[in-house]
């Protein structure tokens, strides 16, 4: 920092910085390569960056075996708390409190260190940011909220700020490349915060984003009601998310700022190169947005027609991404939610004769061997969704 502008740091500040730096570097250099080790940011509590229950935020980290200065920053997912009662319940779980987080964790797919299933990124360092705020790292309410005798903290954006400051302070000088990512609520967070993460890293360093299963569309349910819109509107207002989402989107949506808590409205304002990874028949969206009460293909003929219609609605909502001249797309027809953390999906699901792993890598590196955008045919056309065999099938290729 500029000491003339901010003053000399206090002894406690220096000790906190030393603690985080030593902890981070110890884990980077001495952890088992296959395991991510927990780092809790105790000093962040003083700055108001806390989980729903007031416990400290944190992340898990693993050093890369062959590319330690290339980082994947993964934002954990796990839904949202849709009202205060829901947030009270969530604050007593690992998605609302860090008190019972495990000391380590292992991950698969894009975060795997197994080069047989993740050849392009197996040697990268991984930072897995724990999710404990209930609003995709976007909330920012100054005062604690007392709800029926329970104190809640809506501070997700401060958590993201604290984590980014900690990891960049500890190892930022050596960064060569960054991929920001996340799945489900973390996939939405990837859309919401791609430009913020980009802004924290030197402009000379390449930064790309891949958002998995975070493109939750603003679509009606079976009864024609905009059910999911109402839920997101309340979360946005309850957690005061205006300052914690894409600010260009906020400026473009006066009086409808809640739209900036949804991917399809945020996407046109994202400047960071970003890759959309999603199923057009996402299982979570069919159940919670369409509110379908069956599991394809075990549905009636009428229900399957509604499933097919939803798939078309998804493509319409994602048209900005599909038509983007620079960004990447992998949209399959598998009835699944979250794919980048599944070794099978990441390395074996095929669209347009290529995996999502190869498609993302090809787009990110401008490798002409791979098509940067592929969109699957209608459900249930894709045989690789249900087994590990790869064969050709019909698909829509987008140049």
């Amino acid at each position: 920092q500029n000491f003339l502008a901010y003053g000399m740091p206090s002894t406690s500040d220096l000790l906190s910085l030393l603690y985080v730096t030593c902890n981070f570097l110890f884990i980077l250099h001495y952890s088992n390569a296959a395991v991510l080790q927990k780092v809790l940011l105790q000093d962040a509590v003083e700055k108001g960056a806390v989980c729903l229950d007031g416990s400290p935020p944190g992340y898990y980290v693993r050093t890369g075996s062959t590319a330690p200065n290339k980082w994947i920053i993964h934002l954990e997912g796990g839904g949202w708390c849709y009202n205060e009662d829901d947030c009270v319940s969530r604050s007593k779980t690992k998605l609302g409190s860090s008190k019972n987080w495990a000391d380590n964790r292992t991950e698969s797919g894009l975060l795997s260190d197994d080069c047989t299933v993740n050849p392009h990124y197996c040697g990268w360092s991984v930072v897995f940011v724990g999710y404990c705020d209930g609003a995709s790292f976007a909330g920012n309410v100054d005062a604690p909220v007392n709800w029926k005798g329970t104190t809640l903290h809506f501070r997700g954006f401060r958590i993201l700020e604290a984590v980014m400051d900690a990891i960049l302070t500890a190892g930022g000088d050596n960064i060569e490349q960054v991929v920001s990512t996340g799945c489900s609520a973390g996939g939405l967070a990837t859309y919401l915060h791609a430009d913020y993460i980009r802004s924290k890293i030197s402009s000379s360093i390449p930064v790309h984003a891949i958002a998995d299963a975070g493109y939750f569309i603003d679509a009606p349910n079976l009864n024609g009601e905009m059910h999911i819109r109402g839920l997101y509107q309340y979360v946005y207002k309850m957690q005061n998310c205006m300052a914690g989402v894409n600010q260009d989107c906020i400026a473009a949506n006066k009086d409808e700022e809640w739209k900036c808590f949804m991917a399809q409205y945020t996407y046109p304002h994202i400047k960071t190169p970003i890759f959309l990874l999603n199923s057009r028949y996402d299982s979570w969206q069919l159940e919670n947005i369409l509110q379908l009460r069956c599991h394809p293909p075990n549905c009636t003929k009428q229900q399957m027609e509604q499933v097919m219609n939803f798939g078309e609605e998804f493509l319409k909502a994602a048209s900005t991404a599909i038509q983007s001249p620079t960004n990447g797309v992998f949209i399959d027809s598998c009835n699944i939610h979250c794919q980048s953390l599944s070794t099978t999906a990441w390395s074996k699901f095929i669209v347009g004769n290529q995996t999502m792993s190869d498609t993302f890598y090809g787009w990110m590196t401008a490798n002409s061997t791979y098509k940067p955008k592929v969109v699957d045919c209608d459900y249930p056309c894709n045989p690789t969704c249900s087994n590990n065999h790869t064969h050709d099938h019909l698909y829509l290729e987008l140049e």
Side-chain angles (χ1 to χ4, degrees):
Q1 294 205 352
N2 184 335
F3 293 155
L4 294 177
Y6 297 100
M8 291 294 290
S10 67
T11 301
S12 62
D13 287 339
L14 289 173
L15 288 174
S16 295
L17 176 61
L18 181 62
Y19 170 80
V20 170
T21 302
C22 290
N23 205 0
F24 182 88
L25 293 177
F26 175 84
I27 290 170
L28 275 182
H29 289 291
Y30 298 106
S31 66
N32 183 319
V35 176
L36 288 88
Q37 301 284 353
K38 181 176 67 177
V39 178
L40 289 182
L41 301 177
Q42 300 287 352
D43 61 315
V45 175
E46 298 177 3
K47 302 172 185 177
V50 293
C51 299
L52 283 172
D53 71 335
S55 57
Y59 56 90
Y60 293 79
V61 62
R62 183 189 74 220
T63 186
S65 57
T66 58
N69 295 325
K70 295 183 178 182
W71 288 15
I72 298 173
I73 301 175
H74 177 91
L75 304 178
E76 185 181 16
W80 309 269
C81 48
Y82 296 114
N83 54 49
E84 289 85 353
D85 288 332
D86 197 12
C87 291
V88 169
S89 298
R90 189 183 183 96
S91 71
K92 299 179 172 86
T93 73
K94 293 179 182 179
L95 288 172
S97 171
S98 65
K99 291 178 181 178
N100 294 313
W101 285 0
D103 290 334
N104 55 66
R105 64 187 300 147
T106 56
E107 295 296 335
S108 302
L110 172 59
L111 307 187
S112 174
D113 69 337
D114 183 347
C115 296
T116 64
V117 297
N118 187 33
H120 308 304
Y121 303 98
C122 58
W124 286 41
S125 293
V126 173
V127 174
F128 184 103
V129 185
Y131 182 37
C132 61
D133 65 276
S136 291
F137 301 93
N140 193 20
V141 176
D142 285 330
V145 174
N146 186 291
W147 187 257
K148 299 179 181 179
T150 298
T151 300
L152 295 170
H153 304 267
F154 297 141
R155 306 280 179 74
F157 190 62
R158 298 189 196 188
I159 290 174
L160 183 59
E161 290 179 313
V163 169
M164 290 301 300
D165 287 345
I167 62 177
L168 291 172
T169 298
D173 290 343
N174 298 318
I175 295 177
E176 297 175 359
Q177 195 167 5
V178 172
V179 168
S180 65
T181 185
C183 167
S184 191
L188 174 60
T190 303
Y191 290 112
L192 303 184
H193 306 305
D195 285 351
Y196 169 72
I197 292 174
R198 162 75 275 184
S199 74
K200 297 291 289 183
I201 298 164
S202 170
S203 60
S204 64
I205 296 170
V207 177
H208 296 79
I210 172 172
D212 177 14
Y215 209 90
F216 301 96
I217 66 172
D218 188 21
N221 64 12
L222 293 174
N223 297 323
E225 302 162 338
M226 303 302 288
H227 168 72
I228 199 68
R229 176 188 293 184
L231 294 180
Y232 284 144
Q233 285 175 328
Y234 194 87
V235 173
Y236 175 87
K237 181 178 180 181
M238 173 180 68
Q239 294 225 21
N240 187 33
C241 295
M242 180 179 287
V245 296
N246 186 294
Q247 294 304 293
D248 289 339
C249 178
I250 291 291
N253 287 280
K254 186 177 180 181
D255 299 327
E256 290 186 310
E257 290 87 353
W258 61 267
K259 287 185 172 181
C260 301
F261 195 66
M262 298 194 75
Q264 73 189 80
Y265 302 121
T266 298
Y267 187 95
H269 306 283
I270 299 171
K271 298 182 176 67
T272 304
I274 191 164
F275 187 96
L276 183 156
L277 170 59
N278 229 104
S279 168
R280 45 190 291 212
Y281 307 100
D282 183 292
S283 57
W284 191 96
Q285 296 198 46
L286 291 180
E287 181 177 352
N288 295 279
I289 297 181
L290 186 60
Q291 296 192 301
L292 185 71
R293 293 298 174 255
C294 66
H295 298 284
N298 301 314
C299 301
T300 67
K301 180 179 179 181
Q302 181 181 13
Q303 288 172 326
M304 285 308 301
E305 288 175 354
Q306 293 163 330
V307 169
M308 303 309 290
N309 289 338
F310 187 87
E312 293 304 310
E313 285 298 313
F314 184 90
L315 293 183
K316 290 177 184 177
S319 60
T320 303
I322 293 170
Q323 296 168 8
S324 168
T326 56
N327 290 335
V329 168
F330 188 100
I331 298 176
D332 60 42
S333 59
C334 306
N335 182 219
I336 192 173
H337 181 66
C338 279
Q339 304 182 76
S340 64
L341 297 184
S342 162
T343 294
T344 298
W346 181 246
S347 62
K348 296 184 182 299
F349 284 7
I350 305 290
V351 177
N353 298 320
Q354 57 193 46
T355 65
M356 59 186 72
S357 171
D358 287 342
T359 306
F360 174 61
Y361 173 76
W363 165 76
M364 196 183 90
T365 59
N367 185 331
S368 60
T369 302
Y370 306 107
K371 298 173 286 288
K373 291 190 181 76
V374 288
V375 175
D376 215 350
C377 47
D378 295 342
Y379 178 88
C381 68
N382 190 333
T384 69
C385 292
S386 58
N387 57 59
N388 293 338
H389 301 295
T390 60
H391 5 115
D392 298 341
H393 62 281
L394 296 175
Y395 70 96
L396 172 62
E397 177 185 335
L398 297 136
E399 301 297 344

PDB file of all heavy atoms in Angstrom, residues 93-119:
ATOM      1  N   THR A  93     -25.171 -24.885   8.928  1.00  0.00           N
ATOM      2  CA  THR A  93     -24.584 -25.910   8.070  1.00  0.00           C
ATOM      3  C   THR A  93     -23.238 -25.449   7.521  1.00  0.00           C
ATOM      4  O   THR A  93     -22.840 -24.288   7.706  1.00  0.00           O
ATOM      5  CB  THR A  93     -25.507 -26.241   6.882  1.00  0.00           C
ATOM      6  OG1 THR A  93     -25.462 -25.149   5.935  1.00  0.00           O
ATOM      7  CG2 THR A  93     -26.954 -26.446   7.343  1.00  0.00           C
ATOM      8  N   LYS A  94     -22.566 -26.331   6.796  1.00  0.00           N
ATOM      9  CA  LYS A  94     -21.268 -25.979   6.204  1.00  0.00           C
ATOM     10  C   LYS A  94     -21.394 -24.962   5.089  1.00  0.00           C
ATOM     11  O   LYS A  94     -20.383 -24.408   4.651  1.00  0.00           O
ATOM     12  CB  LYS A  94     -20.586 -27.252   5.680  1.00  0.00           C
ATOM     13  CG  LYS A  94     -20.178 -28.223   6.781  1.00  0.00           C
ATOM     14  CD  LYS A  94     -19.532 -29.476   6.210  1.00  0.00           C
ATOM     15  CE  LYS A  94     -19.171 -30.459   7.317  1.00  0.00           C
ATOM     16  NZ  LYS A  94     -18.562 -31.709   6.771  1.00  0.00           N
ATOM     17  N   LEU A  95     -22.618 -24.717   4.614  1.00  0.00           N
ATOM     18  CA  LEU A  95     -22.825 -23.696   3.583  1.00  0.00           C
ATOM     19  C   LEU A  95     -23.167 -22.339   4.189  1.00  0.00           C
ATOM     20  O   LEU A  95     -23.449 -21.385   3.467  1.00  0.00           O
ATOM     21  CB  LEU A  95     -23.931 -24.136   2.622  1.00  0.00           C
ATOM     22  CG  LEU A  95     -23.543 -25.277   1.675  1.00  0.00           C
ATOM     23  CD1 LEU A  95     -24.762 -25.777   0.912  1.00  0.00           C
ATOM     24  CD2 LEU A  95     -22.451 -24.839   0.708  1.00  0.00           C
ATOM     25  N   GLY A  96     -23.137 -22.254   5.527  1.00  0.00           N
ATOM     26  CA  GLY A  96     -23.380 -20.978   6.189  1.00  0.00           C
ATOM     27  C   GLY A  96     -22.410 -20.709   7.310  1.00  0.00           C
ATOM     28  O   GLY A  96     -22.468 -19.661   7.960  1.00  0.00           O
ATOM     29  N   SER A  97     -21.490 -21.642   7.528  1.00  0.00           N
ATOM     30  CA  SER A  97     -20.529 -21.528   8.615  1.00  0.00           C
ATOM     31  C   SER A  97     -19.280 -22.316   8.267  1.00  0.00           C
ATOM     32  O   SER A  97     -19.352 -23.386   7.655  1.00  0.00           O
ATOM     33  CB  SER A  97     -21.132 -22.084   9.912  1.00  0.00           C
ATOM     34  OG  SER A  97     -20.156 -22.173  10.933  1.00  0.00           O
ATOM     35  N   SER A  98     -18.134 -21.798   8.673  1.00  0.00           N
ATOM     36  CA  SER A  98     -16.871 -22.511   8.436  1.00  0.00           C
ATOM     37  C   SER A  98     -16.456 -23.353   9.640  1.00  0.00           C
ATOM     38  O   SER A  98     -15.404 -24.002   9.612  1.00  0.00           O
ATOM     39  CB  SER A  98     -15.760 -21.509   8.109  1.00  0.00           C
ATOM     40  OG  SER A  98     -15.497 -20.663   9.235  1.00  0.00           O
ATOM     41  N   LYS A  99     -17.268 -23.362  10.690  1.00  0.00           N
ATOM     42  CA  LYS A  99     -16.862 -24.015  11.940  1.00  0.00           C
ATOM     43  C   LYS A  99     -16.589 -25.505  11.767  1.00  0.00           C
ATOM     44  O   LYS A  99     -15.730 -26.060  12.454  1.00  0.00           O
ATOM     45  CB  LYS A  99     -17.947 -23.809  13.000  1.00  0.00           C
ATOM     46  CG  LYS A  99     -18.056 -22.362  13.479  1.00  0.00           C
ATOM     47  CD  LYS A  99     -19.180 -22.210  14.494  1.00  0.00           C
ATOM     48  CE  LYS A  99     -19.298 -20.765  14.958  1.00  0.00           C
ATOM     49  NZ  LYS A  99     -20.430 -20.586  15.912  1.00  0.00           N
ATOM     50  N   ASN A 100     -17.309 -26.141  10.880  1.00  0.00           N
ATOM     51  CA  ASN A 100     -17.143 -27.585  10.707  1.00  0.00           C
ATOM     52  C   ASN A 100     -16.561 -27.970   9.349  1.00  0.00           C
ATOM     53  O   ASN A 100     -16.737 -29.107   8.901  1.00  0.00           O
ATOM     54  CB  ASN A 100     -18.492 -28.282  10.923  1.00  0.00           C
ATOM     55  CG  ASN A 100     -18.987 -28.156  12.346  1.00  0.00           C
ATOM     56  OD1 ASN A 100     -18.230 -28.374  13.290  1.00  0.00           O
ATOM     57  ND2 ASN A 100     -20.250 -27.770  12.516  1.00  0.00           N
ATOM     58  N   TRP A 101     -15.886 -27.030   8.710  1.00  0.00           N
ATOM     59  CA  TRP A 101     -15.226 -27.372   7.457  1.00  0.00           C
ATOM     60  C   TRP A 101     -14.110 -28.388   7.713  1.00  0.00           C
ATOM     61  O   TRP A 101     -13.372 -28.285   8.700  1.00  0.00           O
ATOM     62  CB  TRP A 101     -14.631 -26.126   6.804  1.00  0.00           C
ATOM     63  CG  TRP A 101     -15.639 -25.224   6.166  1.00  0.00           C
ATOM     64  CD1 TRP A 101     -16.983 -25.390   6.103  1.00  0.00           C
ATOM     65  CD2 TRP A 101     -15.352 -24.001   5.479  1.00  0.00           C
ATOM     66  NE1 TRP A 101     -17.567 -24.343   5.430  1.00  0.00           N
ATOM     67  CE2 TRP A 101     -16.595 -23.479   5.037  1.00  0.00           C
ATOM     68  CE3 TRP A 101     -14.194 -23.287   5.213  1.00  0.00           C
ATOM     69  CZ2 TRP A 101     -16.693 -22.270   4.324  1.00  0.00           C
ATOM     70  CZ3 TRP A 101     -14.286 -22.093   4.508  1.00  0.00           C
ATOM     71  CH2 TRP A 101     -15.526 -21.592   4.064  1.00  0.00           C
ATOM     72  N   ALA A 102     -13.975 -29.318   6.806  1.00  0.00           N
ATOM     73  CA  ALA A 102     -12.901 -30.302   6.910  1.00  0.00           C
ATOM     74  C   ALA A 102     -11.547 -29.622   6.721  1.00  0.00           C
ATOM     75  O   ALA A 102     -11.442 -28.541   6.126  1.00  0.00           O
ATOM     76  CB  ALA A 102     -13.094 -31.389   5.856  1.00  0.00           C
ATOM     77  N   ASP A 103     -10.500 -30.249   7.224  1.00  0.00           N
ATOM     78  CA  ASP A 103      -9.156 -29.682   7.097  1.00  0.00           C
ATOM     79  C   ASP A 103      -8.627 -29.779   5.676  1.00  0.00           C
ATOM     80  O   ASP A 103      -7.730 -29.017   5.289  1.00  0.00           O
ATOM     81  CB  ASP A 103      -8.192 -30.401   8.042  1.00  0.00           C
ATOM     82  CG  ASP A 103      -8.464 -30.072   9.501  1.00  0.00           C
ATOM     83  OD1 ASP A 103      -9.014 -28.981   9.769  1.00  0.00           O
ATOM     84  OD2 ASP A 103      -8.142 -30.912  10.359  1.00  0.00           O
ATOM     85  N   ASN A 104      -9.144 -30.730   4.898  1.00  0.00           N
ATOM     86  CA  ASN A 104      -8.690 -30.854   3.515  1.00  0.00           C
ATOM     87  C   ASN A 104      -9.821 -31.426   2.686  1.00  0.00           C
ATOM     88  O   ASN A 104     -10.829 -31.887   3.199  1.00  0.00           O
ATOM     89  CB  ASN A 104      -7.428 -31.716   3.422  1.00  0.00           C
ATOM     90  CG  ASN A 104      -7.603 -33.080   4.065  1.00  0.00           C
ATOM     91  OD1 ASN A 104      -8.389 -33.899   3.594  1.00  0.00           O
ATOM     92  ND2 ASN A 104      -6.874 -33.326   5.150  1.00  0.00           N
ATOM     93  N   ARG A 105      -9.639 -31.394   1.390  1.00  0.00           N
ATOM     94  CA  ARG A 105     -10.615 -31.943   0.458  1.00  0.00           C
ATOM     95  C   ARG A 105      -9.913 -32.325  -0.839  1.00  0.00           C
ATOM     96  O   ARG A 105      -8.823 -31.803  -1.154  1.00  0.00           O
ATOM     97  CB  ARG A 105     -11.755 -30.957   0.200  1.00  0.00           C
ATOM     98  CG  ARG A 105     -11.356 -29.659  -0.473  1.00  0.00           C
ATOM     99  CD  ARG A 105     -12.541 -28.689  -0.531  1.00  0.00           C
ATOM    100  NE  ARG A 105     -13.660 -29.270  -1.277  1.00  0.00           N
ATOM    101  CZ  ARG A 105     -14.937 -29.026  -0.990  1.00  0.00           C
ATOM    102  NH1 ARG A 105     -15.271 -28.214  -0.003  1.00  0.00           N
ATOM    103  NH2 ARG A 105     -15.901 -29.580  -1.714  1.00  0.00           N
ATOM    104  N   THR A 106     -10.523 -33.216  -1.586  1.00  0.00           N
ATOM    105  CA  THR A 106     -10.021 -33.573  -2.910  1.00  0.00           C
ATOM    106  C   THR A 106     -11.107 -33.249  -3.928  1.00  0.00           C
ATOM    107  O   THR A 106     -12.298 -33.239  -3.611  1.00  0.00           O
ATOM    108  CB  THR A 106      -9.679 -35.071  -2.990  1.00  0.00           C
ATOM    109  OG1 THR A 106     -10.838 -35.838  -2.641  1.00  0.00           O
ATOM    110  CG2 THR A 106      -8.546 -35.416  -2.052  1.00  0.00           C
ATOM    111  N   GLU A 107     -10.715 -32.954  -5.143  1.00  0.00           N
ATOM    112  CA  GLU A 107     -11.659 -32.574  -6.191  1.00  0.00           C
ATOM    113  C   GLU A 107     -11.336 -33.309  -7.484  1.00  0.00           C
ATOM    114  O   GLU A 107     -10.212 -33.797  -7.673  1.00  0.00           O
ATOM    115  CB  GLU A 107     -11.637 -31.064  -6.427  1.00  0.00           C
ATOM    116  CG  GLU A 107     -12.109 -30.234  -5.237  1.00  0.00           C
ATOM    117  CD  GLU A 107     -13.566 -30.459  -4.880  1.00  0.00           C
ATOM    118  OE1 GLU A 107     -14.346 -30.856  -5.777  1.00  0.00           O
ATOM    119  OE2 GLU A 107     -13.934 -30.255  -3.705  1.00  0.00           O
ATOM    120  N   SER A 108     -12.314 -33.347  -8.367  1.00  0.00           N
ATOM    121  CA  SER A 108     -12.172 -34.079  -9.626  1.00  0.00           C
ATOM    122  C   SER A 108     -12.380 -33.141 -10.818  1.00  0.00           C
ATOM    123  O   SER A 108     -12.505 -31.931 -10.655  1.00  0.00           O
ATOM    124  CB  SER A 108     -13.191 -35.223  -9.665  1.00  0.00           C
ATOM    125  OG  SER A 108     -13.025 -36.095  -8.574  1.00  0.00           O
ATOM    126  N   GLY A 109     -12.432 -33.723 -12.022  1.00  0.00           N
ATOM    127  CA  GLY A 109     -12.711 -32.937 -13.219  1.00  0.00           C
ATOM    128  C   GLY A 109     -11.664 -31.880 -13.486  1.00  0.00           C
ATOM    129  O   GLY A 109     -10.451 -32.155 -13.478  1.00  0.00           O
ATOM    130  N   LEU A 110     -12.104 -30.665 -13.690  1.00  0.00           N
ATOM    131  CA  LEU A 110     -11.213 -29.538 -13.976  1.00  0.00           C
ATOM    132  C   LEU A 110     -10.201 -29.313 -12.855  1.00  0.00           C
ATOM    133  O   LEU A 110      -9.104 -28.805 -13.096  1.00  0.00           O
ATOM    134  CB  LEU A 110     -12.052 -28.274 -14.189  1.00  0.00           C
ATOM    135  CG  LEU A 110     -11.332 -26.935 -14.308  1.00  0.00           C
ATOM    136  CD1 LEU A 110     -10.356 -26.930 -15.475  1.00  0.00           C
ATOM    137  CD2 LEU A 110     -12.328 -25.799 -14.451  1.00  0.00           C
ATOM    138  N   LEU A 111     -10.533 -29.685 -11.629  1.00  0.00           N
ATOM    139  CA  LEU A 111      -9.645 -29.457 -10.488  1.00  0.00           C
ATOM    140  C   LEU A 111      -8.775 -30.669 -10.160  1.00  0.00           C
ATOM    141  O   LEU A 111      -7.993 -30.631  -9.215  1.00  0.00           O
ATOM    142  CB  LEU A 111     -10.471 -29.076  -9.253  1.00  0.00           C
ATOM    143  CG  LEU A 111     -11.450 -27.910  -9.412  1.00  0.00           C
ATOM    144  CD1 LEU A 111     -12.065 -27.549  -8.073  1.00  0.00           C
ATOM    145  CD2 LEU A 111     -10.776 -26.692 -10.038  1.00  0.00           C
ATOM    146  N   SER A 112      -8.912 -31.732 -10.952  1.00  0.00           N
ATOM    147  CA  SER A 112      -8.155 -32.951 -10.689  1.00  0.00           C
ATOM    148  C   SER A 112      -6.675 -32.785 -11.041  1.00  0.00           C
ATOM    149  O   SER A 112      -6.327 -32.067 -11.981  1.00  0.00           O
ATOM    150  CB  SER A 112      -8.741 -34.109 -11.508  1.00  0.00           C
ATOM    151  OG  SER A 112      -7.942 -35.267 -11.385  1.00  0.00           O
ATOM    152  N   ASP A 113      -5.836 -33.460 -10.266  1.00  0.00           N
ATOM    153  CA  ASP A 113      -4.405 -33.474 -10.597  1.00  0.00           C
ATOM    154  C   ASP A 113      -4.017 -34.746 -11.351  1.00  0.00           C
ATOM    155  O   ASP A 113      -2.838 -35.018 -11.546  1.00  0.00           O
ATOM    156  CB  ASP A 113      -3.558 -33.332  -9.334  1.00  0.00           C
ATOM    157  CG  ASP A 113      -3.641 -34.561  -8.428  1.00  0.00           C
ATOM    158  OD1 ASP A 113      -4.645 -35.301  -8.545  1.00  0.00           O
ATOM    159  OD2 ASP A 113      -2.724 -34.772  -7.619  1.00  0.00           O
ATOM    160  N   ASP A 114      -5.023 -35.494 -11.793  1.00  0.00           N
ATOM    161  CA  ASP A 114      -4.801 -36.720 -12.575  1.00  0.00           C
ATOM    162  C   ASP A 114      -4.750 -36.353 -14.056  1.00  0.00           C
ATOM    163  O   ASP A 114      -5.766 -36.013 -14.670  1.00  0.00           O
ATOM    164  CB  ASP A 114      -5.944 -37.705 -12.303  1.00  0.00           C
ATOM    165  CG  ASP A 114      -5.757 -39.032 -13.027  1.00  0.00           C
ATOM    166  OD1 ASP A 114      -4.880 -39.121 -13.923  1.00  0.00           O
ATOM    167  OD2 ASP A 114      -6.505 -39.978 -12.722  1.00  0.00           O
ATOM    168  N   CYS A 115      -3.581 -36.434 -14.635  1.00  0.00           N
ATOM    169  CA  CYS A 115      -3.396 -35.979 -16.015  1.00  0.00           C
ATOM    170  C   CYS A 115      -4.036 -36.903 -17.048  1.00  0.00           C
ATOM    171  O   CYS A 115      -4.158 -36.534 -18.218  1.00  0.00           O
ATOM    172  CB  CYS A 115      -1.914 -35.808 -16.316  1.00  0.00           C
ATOM    173  SG  CYS A 115      -1.123 -34.520 -15.318  1.00  0.00           S
ATOM    174  N   THR A 116      -4.452 -38.079 -16.624  1.00  0.00           N
ATOM    175  CA  THR A 116      -5.138 -38.961 -17.572  1.00  0.00           C
ATOM    176  C   THR A 116      -6.564 -38.498 -17.841  1.00  0.00           C
ATOM    177  O   THR A 116      -7.130 -38.811 -18.889  1.00  0.00           O
ATOM    178  CB  THR A 116      -5.166 -40.419 -17.059  1.00  0.00           C
ATOM    179  OG1 THR A 116      -5.929 -40.481 -15.843  1.00  0.00           O
ATOM    180  CG2 THR A 116      -3.760 -40.924 -16.809  1.00  0.00           C
ATOM    181  N   VAL A 117      -7.170 -37.773 -16.909  1.00  0.00           N
ATOM    182  CA  VAL A 117      -8.543 -37.285 -17.091  1.00  0.00           C
ATOM    183  C   VAL A 117      -8.599 -35.769 -17.229  1.00  0.00           C
ATOM    184  O   VAL A 117      -9.595 -35.214 -17.678  1.00  0.00           O
ATOM    185  CB  VAL A 117      -9.460 -37.726 -15.928  1.00  0.00           C
ATOM    186  CG1 VAL A 117      -9.560 -39.239 -15.888  1.00  0.00           C
ATOM    187  CG2 VAL A 117      -8.976 -37.172 -14.593  1.00  0.00           C
ATOM    188  N   ASN A 118      -7.518 -35.085 -16.854  1.00  0.00           N
ATOM    189  CA  ASN A 118      -7.486 -33.623 -16.908  1.00  0.00           C
ATOM    190  C   ASN A 118      -6.138 -33.161 -17.447  1.00  0.00           C
ATOM    191  O   ASN A 118      -5.374 -32.465 -16.768  1.00  0.00           O
ATOM    192  CB  ASN A 118      -7.726 -33.057 -15.494  1.00  0.00           C
ATOM    193  CG  ASN A 118      -7.884 -31.551 -15.485  1.00  0.00           C
ATOM    194  OD1 ASN A 118      -8.399 -30.956 -16.422  1.00  0.00           O
ATOM    195  ND2 ASN A 118      -7.449 -30.927 -14.389  1.00  0.00           N
ATOM    196  N   PRO A 119      -5.828 -33.555 -18.694  1.00  0.00           N
ATOM    197  CA  PRO A 119      -4.469 -33.348 -19.201  1.00  0.00           C
ATOM    198  C   PRO A 119      -4.037 -31.895 -19.319  1.00  0.00           C
ATOM    199  O   PRO A 119      -2.849 -31.594 -19.202  1.00  0.00           O
ATOM    200  CB  PRO A 119      -4.507 -34.024 -20.577  1.00  0.00           C
ATOM    201  CG  PRO A 119      -5.949 -34.015 -20.972  1.00  0.00           C
ATOM    202  CD  PRO A 119      -6.703 -34.207 -19.691  1.00  0.00           C
TER     203      PRO A 119
END
